[in-house]
Amino acid sequence: NRSLACHLGTVELSLCTGITFFVAHGSTYAVHTHTKTQLYADRTFKNLTPERRETVTWIYMPIEGQITEISFSVLPNRLGRVSQPQHLLFRFESVGDVLIGPYTLKSRQFMSLKWPQKLIYRKKDTLPICFVSAFSEKYTICDTAAAPKRFDPSLPPIEDPYISSAPLSNVSQIRVYCIPRTNFCRGITIQYRGGGKLALGQCRLGVDPFTEYEWPVRLCFANTIFDQSGVGKLEGVKVECLKDHDHVDGLADWTCCEMTGVLYCWFNQDEMRMRYTKTSR
């Protein structure tokens, strides 16, 4: 629809402490850049239409240390295509690769840029954002055939998931964000001793309560089912970082992880599921 207003936006990567992507059906509808003066993304969320707020997933990416490369999938130029699933791959010097986008097995054509300073996107009114370019003083953007890492070869246990992963070695702090008035996890941030931070699931900073664990010796999780009013039975996860195995819910089937290996998290707007492997990412 050519009558829709279109504008370009930029994300100044060097000024960010993190980015929250508001994603629905694999498409990004808004981006909040976390800075020292804009710590939380709730105002950006409230600028979405009421209908869109009901469907978006919050995907938070902390930024600590240098982003050495960024890649984004090239979208087909199809008129009338409202839903545009797109992947972004951020490569950090400290924590490796972070994938933003829906879980998929399909290969895609990507554009890549080393040592990026700005991310550039196009937005048409209420339609999804399309990431179209990036800027670096030293390098130019180029095509690449490299697809984003899937990070986990097993089949997703929930519908239309996003996936995130994080190593558990050399961890100095863990924050577990929970759905308000419940003990079900919504997201986790993991801080590393040598610098760098990763996020799993939905970390809604300034919105959801969290429990902070300093120098954890183990992380324990229990995949379970819970009832949500008006929705029904959903997949959920309980997470604790205890020195012993005296869990609050003694009846749950807990997986207790020493601080090695990799934690994988599938999630969508309402549900979450975790898996642990002792092998590296």
Side-chain angles (χ1 to χ4, degrees), residues 10-23 28 30-35 38-41 44 57-64 67 70 88 90 92 98 100 116-121 129 131 197 199 201 203-205:
T10 60
V11 178
E12 301 283 346
L13 298 172
S14 61
L15 302 179
C16 296
T17 60
I19 303 173
T20 293
F21 299 85
F22 293 97
V23 185
T28 301
V31 173
H32 178 83
T33 54
H34 296 263
T35 65
Q38 295 185 353
L39 296 174
Y40 307 130
T44 302
T57 299
W58 299 45
I59 303 181
Y60 170 62
M61 183 186 73
I63 297 179
E64 283 196 8
I67 300 173
I70 186 172
L88 291 95
F90 293 85
F92 285 86
V98 174
I100 307 295
Q117 294 161 274
K118 296 181 182 181
L119 181 60
I120 302 169
Y121 62 86
I129 283 173
F131 295 95
K197 182 186 288 188
C203 298
R204 309 197 311 175
L205 278 62

Side-chain angles (χ1 to χ4, degrees), residues 125-176:
D125 287 344
T126 59
L127 297 185
I129 283 173
C130 175
F131 295 95
V132 294
S133 190
F135 170 77
S136 169
E137 290 183 348
K138 296 182 178 180
Y139 296 92
T140 57
I141 200 164
C142 61
D143 292 329
T144 175
K149 293 181 179 180
R150 288 169 49 200
F151 293 152
D152 193 337
S154 56
L155 294 174
I158 59 178
E159 291 186 8
D160 301 322
Y162 305 92
I163 187 169
S164 51
S165 65
L168 292 181
S169 57
N170 298 315
V171 172
S172 61
Q173 181 194 84
I174 291 177
R175 285 185 177 181
V176 179

Side-chain angles (χ1 to χ4, degrees), residues 129-268:
I129 283 173
C130 175
F131 295 95
V132 294
S133 190
F135 170 77
S136 169
E137 290 183 348
K138 296 182 178 180
Y139 296 92
T140 57
I141 200 164
C142 61
D143 292 329
T144 175
K149 293 181 179 180
R150 288 169 49 200
F151 293 152
D152 193 337
S154 56
L155 294 174
I158 59 178
E159 291 186 8
D160 301 322
Y162 305 92
I163 187 169
S164 51
S165 65
L168 292 181
S169 57
N170 298 315
V171 172
S172 61
Q173 181 194 84
I174 291 177
R175 285 185 177 181
V176 179
Y177 291 82
C178 286
I179 300 171
R181 297 177 295 279
T182 78
N183 59 351
F184 288 99
C185 175
R186 177 119 64 188
I188 300 173
T189 58
I190 300 179
Q191 178 76 53
Y192 294 94
R193 297 178 186 179
K197 182 186 288 188
L198 289 171
L200 304 175
Q202 296 186 88
C203 298
R204 309 197 311 175
L205 278 62
V207 177
D208 291 334
F210 66 85
T211 302
E212 186 172 287
Y213 301 93
E214 299 285 346
W215 305 105
V217 297
R218 65 171 56 87
L219 181 146
C220 306
F221 67 90
N223 291 315
T224 184
I225 303 294
F226 71 101
D227 286 306
Q228 181 167 309
S229 177
V231 179
K233 294 186 180 298
L234 298 172
E235 299 275 357
V237 184
K238 296 180 179 181
V239 178
E240 298 175 353
C241 298
L242 305 176
K243 293 183 179 180
D244 53 33
H245 296 280
D246 187 19
H247 298 294
V248 174
D249 186 352
L251 299 178
D253 185 13
W254 290 91
T255 298
C256 298
C257 316
E258 303 296 333
M259 300 310 291
T260 60
V262 180
L263 187 64
Y264 295 93
C265 175
W266 291 276
F267 63 101
N268 57 29

